[in-house]
Amino acid sequence: MSDKSHDPNQMTGAAMIVRALIDHGVTDIFGYPGGAVLPIYDEIFQQSEVQHILVRHEQGAGHAAEGYARSTGRPGVALVTSGPGATNMVTPLTDALMDSIPLVCISGQVPTHLIGNDAFQECDTVGITRPCTKHNWLVRDVNDLAKVLHEAFYVATTGRPGPVLVDVPKDVQFATGTYHPPRKSDVHRSYAPRVKGDATQIRKAVALLAGAKRPVIYSGGGVINSGPEATRLLRELVEVTGFPITSTLMGLGAYPASGKSWLGMLGMHGTYEANMTMHDCDVMLCVGARFDDRITGRVDAFSPGSKKIHIDIDPSSINKNIRVDVPIIGDCGNILGDILQVFKAEAKKPDIKAWWQQIAQWRARNSLYYRKSNDVILPQHAIQSLFEATRGRDTYITTEVGQHQMWAAQFYGFEEPHRWMTSGGLGTMGYGLPAAVGVQVAHPDSLVIDIAGDASVQMTMQEMSTAVQYELPIKIFILNNQYMGMVRQWQQLLHGNRLSHSYSEAMPDFVKLAEAYGGVGIQVHKPGDLDGAIQEMISVKRPVLFDCRVASLENCFPMIPSGKAHNEMLLPEQANDEATAKAFAGGKALV
Amino acid sequence: MNQPASAYFIEERHDPNETHTLSVLVQNEPGVLARVIGLFSGRGYNIESLTVSETESQKHLSRITIVTTGTPMVIEQIKHQLDRMIPVYRVVDMTLTKRSIERELAMVKVRGQGEHRVEALRLADAFRARVIDATTESFVFEITGNTEKINQFIDLMRPLGLVEVSRTGVAAIGRGPEGM
Ligand SMILES: Cc1ncc(C[n+]2csc(CCOP(=O)(O)OP(=O)(O)O)c2C)c(N)n1
Ligand SMILES: [Mg+2]
């Protein structure tokens, strides 16, 4: 101890890190030790305020922190060592950047005097993670550490949220310096995200909404990120205006799936009614979404006749893909509040009965139709059964990436925000299992289910071991079609049915695998056994691998094919039988 | 057009390109230039010219001047993408203000004798280039001006024994009493 030990703010860099975590209200972090973070691990060992969850791979730490963040609205924290520890974080950081998830990653670095020497486990962490973080820092002086840590939390959680990384050389962790609690001056003066929307733009928006004949509200993950107030206001706006509402993959749950104005998800695998409503509308209100290419389809045919209002906290989202008429930059909760206020004071509910009648016709096409079977479990049916069995329970759903993810989005009805954790922007296979670990840490008594694919789940399967260690009763609900289904679907539709490397020849025995990890394995083949097996899964208070054997060649529809517009969707009845069969027969590609 | 099968929308855009000069005021801290350059390379934007130096040392502010080309929508994106970086204070599109002065400095080495040498000197004089180094068989000229003027001077020097050129890239500033 130094001679200044009487000053409680004098401490080592490693101690500052733990102290900063506590000051920011962090109770759980996910990490993996190594040489360059040993001083921090030593501090963690000597306290009990911050619980550390030891993962099995740093990517797992990152996704767990993401799941934690998404399900709580608070930042997720990951701690990794230098070199390979840091490079293993690149995927989750990129994932969090794409989906605007607040993540704080602390990485160890070789001592400052060795930086640049190709020292053991050295890598240019800030260089590697610069394009996949909202901001990052290399701290060379222990007296800068407190400021940087506080700024890191601030940057991660304000404006458009995102991942940040603080790289701390080992000598800085050992060195003693002065800590201070968070204060305003810790943040760059150049960083000041705009919260309040421009009043004239808000008036213009209200005028458009009030005059709409064929309106639609298209909401995204930004509403959920903005917090519970934004969700409440969005619901109120739908109520007050009587407008139909659809949402992106990321926005599911902001408006309840059981709500009468709900059209279902939009985009490539969205419902017919959602996409047709988008295509034919005359006024579109986009709240906290970003006109991603999976949403718009062909941009020059995207909703050609509409006036578009776009609310986003990130000015770079405006006019990036689609030109809009009324951009409003700021926090969606804030702006929705202002819009509602002006609307209620000055406008009345437009009469859009004819529009709703049109929508009813589109709905009647029943675009999520699939043929049930008594012999084999259809994946859609499995998700519907899971939904029915968990309805009304305190449930959180994560997913991997592939067909099962789209089916989950289509068939699982989300009533509340923060209940749906999926890798939207990056599409990271292997996200769901570690994300479920993170969600379960945040909500120990809730039911946490990863709707998984047989291929994806093998990418981060090792985190089963984490779940067992910490007694996290996550349920891994594998829709096992023995294929990389989504890849196969594209190969069938777009590559002449040449199924190049999309079949998994050697599938592990998931039941034995679960048991090997110390969890519980359940396998089901028959539709008649499904409900009972799901009940069994729910009642087990341990981690479960649920091997749900489903029809292996089922494809995910509806689908907007390549280069097509929203009104040119491929519906299941058009695609499933003949067209797909044709593709199987080596017939011409559909698209 | 025959496109490969893909579920991505491979479209060509035909908006005309424009050239814009952007002034970017940033916190001068490690990595800030790498961030700016990384943004351009990562998102496929063009850099025609890039000039950077600390301009207010007490406040640790640097001014980066970037000349870039793109469609109006891309230029708009570039500005927003720059502006949302944490250490960036301000981004000003000098081309849109229509009130900016742009200058570049070049040092131009020319080697030659006799007629060529005389002609090079004469042209340098016409362009108000200064001789900053001379030997019996060479000159180094220093010339300032906008990019076009410098290009023109270099073109003229080429047949007269141009050896090499070193140029600073564009610096820009607004006319009138206001700062950026
Ligand atoms: C890390 C990663 N690698 C590759 C891909 C490309 N990819 C998208 S879906 C998919 C197949 C997923 O298979 P599975 O998990 O079994 O899900 P299914 O589509 O069969 O439901 C692949 C390989 C990806 N999204 N992520
Ligand atoms: Mg599969």
Side-chain angles (χ1 to χ4, degrees), chain A residues 130 134-136 155 160 188-191 268 293-294 297-300 314-316 319-321 323 490 494 561-563 591, chain B residues 4-9 11 13 27 29-31 34-35 43 59 61 72-73 76-77 80-81 83-89:
Chain A
R130 201 174 282 132
K134 183 173 171 186
H135 198 69
N136 63 12
V155 168
R160 179 175 178 175
H188 274 80
R189 280 189 300 119
S190 48
Y191 177 68
M268 182 172 270
D293 61 83
R294 285 292 184 270
R298 213 173 99 194
V299 289
D300 61 1
D314 178 0
S316 75
N319 290 335
K320 180 163 67 179
N321 304 321
R323 275 229 164 269
W490 281 37
L494 305 163
S562 102
V591 186
Chain B
S6 167
Y8 286 98
F9 309 104
E11 284 174 76
R13 297 241 178 152
Q27 191 73 38
E29 60 184 29
R35 280 178 212 285
R43 292 185 183 260
K59 292 194 206 153
L61 293 182
M73 214 155 152
E76 201 59 25
Q77 258 302 295
H80 287 313
Q81 292 288 354
D83 211 13
R84 74 174 183 154
M85 294 187 152
I86 309 297
V88 170
Y89 279 88

Side-chain angles (χ1 to χ4, degrees), chain A residues 36-360:
Chain A
V37 282
L38 286 180
I40 306 171
Y41 272 86
D42 204 18
E43 288 295 330
I44 288 172
F45 188 85
Q46 299 176 52
Q47 55 85 51
S48 56
E49 278 169 272
V50 178
Q51 183 194 198
H52 176 275
I53 307 291
L54 176 68
V55 295
R56 297 298 181 269
H57 184 298
E58 289 86 353
Q59 183 188 356
H63 294 320
E66 284 188 273
Y68 188 94
R70 275 198 214 198
S71 66
T72 60
R74 301 201 307 268
V77 180
L79 173 61
V80 299
T81 193
S82 65
T87 55
N88 278 344
M89 272 301 295
V90 167
T91 299
L93 289 172
T94 310
D95 193 273
L97 186 71
M98 294 287 267
D99 286 346
S100 309
I101 307 303
L103 206 66
V104 177
C105 177
I106 294 161
S107 56
Q109 182 54 280
V110 302
T112 41
H113 69 274
L114 287 179
I115 290 180
N117 278 17
D118 297 325
F120 178 63
Q121 293 196 326
E122 180 187 356
C123 73
D124 178 7
T125 302
V126 285
I128 291 169
T129 60
R130 201 174 282 132
C132 58
T133 51
K134 183 173 171 186
H135 198 69
N136 63 12
W137 297 258
L138 168 64
V139 182
R140 289 172 169 274
D141 180 343
V142 69
N143 287 310
D144 295 336
L145 187 56
K147 174 183 157 61
V148 167
L149 289 167
H150 300 325
E151 184 176 28
F153 274 92
Y154 187 79
V155 168
T157 52
T158 54
R160 179 175 178 175
V164 298
L165 177 140
V166 182
D167 200 26
V168 190
K170 195 171 183 180
D171 56 328
V172 175
Q173 298 170 32
F174 276 129
T176 299
T178 309
Y179 178 82
H180 65 260
R183 58 189 182 206
K184 215 167 175 217
S185 59
D186 291 329
V187 181
H188 274 80
R189 280 189 300 119
S190 48
Y191 177 68
R194 175 166 189 160
V195 174
K196 190 127 183 70
D198 181 84
T200 13
Q201 295 294 87
I202 285 166
R203 293 199 162 273
K204 277 192 209 163
V206 171
L208 280 177
L209 296 174
K213 300 256 175 312
R214 303 187 309 281
V216 65
I217 299 175
Y218 143 48
S219 80
V223 176
I224 293 168
N225 276 339
S226 175
E229 185 62 3
T231 299
R232 191 186 69 68
L233 291 165
L234 179 76
R235 293 174 179 205
E236 191 183 338
L237 185 71
V238 174
E239 192 58 43
V240 167
T241 57
F243 289 176
I245 175 167
T246 176
S247 116
T248 64
L249 183 71
M250 301 307 298
L252 296 177
Y255 185 82
S258 63
K260 65 179 190 324
S261 302
W262 178 239
L263 301 176
M265 181 175 76
L266 82 161
M268 182 172 270
H269 292 292
T271 65
Y272 186 66
E273 54 269 34
N275 285 324
M276 289 302 288
T277 304
M278 288 289 282
H279 187 269
D280 283 5
C281 69
D282 67 347
V283 175
M284 178 187 298
L285 174 64
C286 168
V287 196
R290 58 186 176 90
F291 297 96
D292 167 83
D293 61 83
R294 285 292 184 270
I295 293 303
T296 58
R298 213 173 99 194
V299 289
D300 61 1
F302 175 72
S303 192
S306 63
K307 292 271 185 229
K308 299 174 186 75
I309 305 161
H310 187 184
I311 303 174
D312 206 299
I313 199 158
D314 178 0
S316 75
S317 288
I318 309 270
N319 290 335
K320 180 163 67 179
N321 304 321
I322 297 290
R323 275 229 164 269
V324 297
D325 303 277
V326 184
I328 314 177
I329 294 161
D331 168 60
C332 14
N334 211 291
I335 293 169
L336 283 172
D338 288 351
I339 288 185
L340 259 167
Q341 205 183 15
V342 179
F343 192 95
K344 283 198 265 189
E346 297 175 13
K348 62 180 202 311
K349 215 174 191 164
D351 176 9
I352 55 164
K353 260 194 230 87
W355 183 227
W356 272 114
Q357 279 162 7
Q358 170 65 70
I359 292 171

Side-chain angles (χ1 to χ4, degrees), chain B residues 48-49 51 67 102-106 143-151 154 165-172:
Chain B
E48 305 272 303
S49 157
T51 309
V67 182
E102 297 185 8
R103 288 292 179 271
E104 208 181 330
L105 182 146
I143 178 170
T144 55
N146 60 30
T147 303
E148 210 173 303
K149 170 177 164 185
I150 290 173
N151 288 345
I154 292 167
V165 180
S166 172
R167 48 202 288 187
T168 57
V170 173

Side-chain angles (χ1 to χ4, degrees), chain A residues 30 146 213 279 364 391 405 550 565:
Chain A
F30 303 88
K213 300 256 175 312
H279 187 269
R391 203 175 203 153
Q405 175 192 30
V550 296

Side-chain angles (χ1 to χ4, degrees), chain A residues 403-404 452-456 479-486 504 507:
Chain A
Q403 291 179 323
H404 62 277
D454 47 281
S456 297
L479 293 181
N480 185 351
N481 54 7
Q482 312 209 28
Y483 273 101
M484 296 173 199
M486 190 58 95
S504 305
M507 196 58 74

